[in-house]
Amino acid sequence: MASQDIVSIFDFTVKDAKGNDVDLSTYKGKVLLIVNVASKCGLTNSNYTELNQLYEKYKDQGLEILAFPCNQFAQQEPGTNDQILDFVCTSFKSEFPIFDKVEVNGDNTSPLYKFLKSGNWGLYKDDIQWNFAKFLINKEGQVAGRYYPGTTPLSLEYDIKKLLGVS
Ligand SMILES: *[C@@H]1O[C@H](CO)[C@@H](O)[C@H](O)[C@H]1NC(C)=O
């Protein structure tokens, strides 16, 4: 799709960890939390634990978490998709979808991440800093917030509730 035709996140098709196409418009009307994940990061456990907590609490109210494995930060996601899935499912029992590995910086940045980063983010500059950078997408498919990797998943709760329209 030509980039000028892209108006929201729903215009993208990505691959899931099994290699199947997923049209992101299937998430229309949901609030999305998009995270680049890694299995071997020292901070992996706390992030997955809190992502699970958020998911448990808000999935019925319309939150979806989309996790994109990325091996660009200190090679902390070296495994195959199957190994990643196995790790995430057995260690964390995460129920949210894990997608195909992507690059988030550089020439081979995935089209989705190009879109995510295309906003005017000022201080954040262009590059994703590390594993577990977070983006919140509103129900219309627009980027509503970008957060540093160090922002804990649970500290996004207020913003998620606002986007979901729940109190
Ligand atoms: C999640 O990972 C990031 C860096 O990758 C880290 O700064 C943060 O402390 C980790 N833990 C939580 C709970 O967010």
Side-chain angles (χ1 to χ4, degrees):
M1 179 174 302
S3 58
Q4 65 268 25
D5 296 333
I6 293 174
V7 294
S8 81
I9 206 105
F10 306 134
D11 295 319
F12 292 92
T13 299
V14 296
K15 291 217 181 293
D16 70 13
K18 304 274 182 208
N20 303 310
D21 282 340
V22 179
D23 185 342
L24 291 185
S25 67
T26 50
Y27 295 111
K28 254 180 201 162
K30 301 241 180 203
V31 170
L32 303 178
L33 172 54
I34 297 184
V35 198
N36 58 297
V37 297
S39 301
K40 299 217 191 297
C41 182
L43 304 149
T44 296
N45 287 20
S46 60
N47 274 280
Y48 269 109
T49 304
E50 291 197 5
L51 287 172
N52 280 350
Q53 286 170 355
L54 280 180
Y55 197 53
E56 278 304 301
K57 207 160 163 192
Y58 295 107
K59 71 175 170 203
D60 291 340
Q61 310 193 54
L63 174 70
E64 194 56 67
I65 297 177
L66 311 184
F68 288 88
C70 176
N71 194 33
Q72 285 187 298
F73 305 100
Q75 264 85 57
Q76 289 174 332
E77 189 73 297
T80 63
N81 283 347
D82 280 345
Q83 289 168 328
I84 294 168
L85 278 184
D86 188 56
F87 169 80
V88 173
C89 298
T90 49
S91 311
F92 295 105
K93 313 249 178 304
S94 295
E95 288 171 31
F96 49 82
I98 314 284
F99 290 88
D100 191 19
K101 232 189 237 187
V102 294
E103 296 197 8
V104 299
N105 291 331
D107 289 347
N108 298 320
T109 298
S110 79
L112 174 64
Y113 265 86
K114 278 193 186 138
F115 177 77
L116 292 175
K117 297 194 298 182
S118 65
N120 182 10
W121 295 112
L123 265 187
Y124 289 94
K125 301 271 176 26
D126 222 9
D127 277 353
I128 300 291
Q129 289 85 7
W130 199 249
N131 302 309
F132 297 105
K134 296 152 185 96
F135 289 88
L136 276 180
I137 314 298
N138 67 19
K139 293 180 180 175
E140 286 74 48
Q142 302 301 323
V143 182
R146 175 173 177 177
Y147 308 85
Y148 279 113
T151 308
T152 66
L154 285 183
S155 64
L156 303 187
E157 199 168 347
Y158 178 81
D159 292 353
I160 290 173
K161 278 173 30 179
K162 226 168 50 185
L163 292 175
L164 284 171
V166 302
S167 47

